[in-house]
Amino acid sequence: MLLDVTDYKILAQLQQERRAADAGILPTSPLYPVKRAAETVDVFLTFSSEARLQKRLQQANTRLNEAAALLVSGVSDVSAPLAEYKQTLLAAAGSGDLVAQRLIQEEVAQNTAQLSATLPDDAIYPLKETVLEASTSIPN
């Protein structure tokens, strides 16, 4: 069964709503610095390098969710969380660790699949662009 443009728009809208709901505290909130401090402490107190990387990748995914939530709330400039998503992936990939490479590839593949229905005229298209750009920038 082939999907038409309307089906893709509905899927993209549902994806945007899900990401926005998962974002938590947004950069526009006065509590956002507390959220970021808690994330930093959480990573710092994680002793396994693989678990630490998984937490960083989850935080990168949170930046994508924040960008989606900001778009839903009418903020058009989401370049900061998207740049941080990409920067986190590239920094993690720079380690050259095979386990890190596998985890990063899984994260990018999951985000690519989740955003696959997004079309260029959808509000969350910048998320898809960022994920695809990050995937091509990550060294093999």
Side-chain angles (χ1 to χ4, degrees):
M1 179 173 142
L2 294 174
L3 300 176
D4 64 7
V5 174
T6 305
D7 295 328
Y8 281 105
K9 289 202 174 291
I10 291 169
L11 287 173
Q13 179 66 32
L14 291 172
Q15 192 57 238
Q16 182 176 358
E17 291 170 3
R18 186 198 60 80
R19 284 194 172 275
D22 290 345
I25 298 171
L26 297 178
T28 54
S29 170
L31 294 176
Y32 190 69
V34 175
K35 173 184 176 177
R36 295 305 301 268
E39 288 177 349
T40 301
V41 169
D42 186 32
V43 170
F44 180 74
L45 295 176
T46 302
F47 299 107
S48 161
S49 60
E50 185 176 335
R52 193 175 312 116
L53 175 62
Q54 288 174 332
K55 287 183 180 186
R56 286 189 180 124
L57 293 176
Q58 178 55 45
Q59 291 170 4
N61 194 54
T62 298
R63 302 295 87 84
L64 281 179
N65 293 342
E66 290 169 357
L70 290 170
L71 289 168
V72 167
S73 69
V75 175
S76 60
D77 183 14
V78 293
S79 58
L82 293 180
E84 190 171 342
Y85 167 82
K86 190 173 176 181
Q87 178 184 358
T88 301
L89 291 181
L90 293 175
S95 72
D97 181 0
L98 292 177
V99 173
Q101 295 296 332
R102 179 185 53 80
L103 290 171
I104 294 165
Q105 289 172 353
E106 288 174 7
E107 178 69 25
V108 169
Q110 181 180 13
N111 283 320
T112 301
Q114 290 174 348
L115 293 165
S116 64
T118 306
L119 300 173
D121 63 339
D122 292 330
I124 64 168
Y125 190 73
L127 277 69
K128 183 176 184 176
E129 280 183 316
T130 300
V131 169
L132 295 176
E133 287 172 10
S135 70
T136 60
S137 300
I138 295 170
N140 291 334

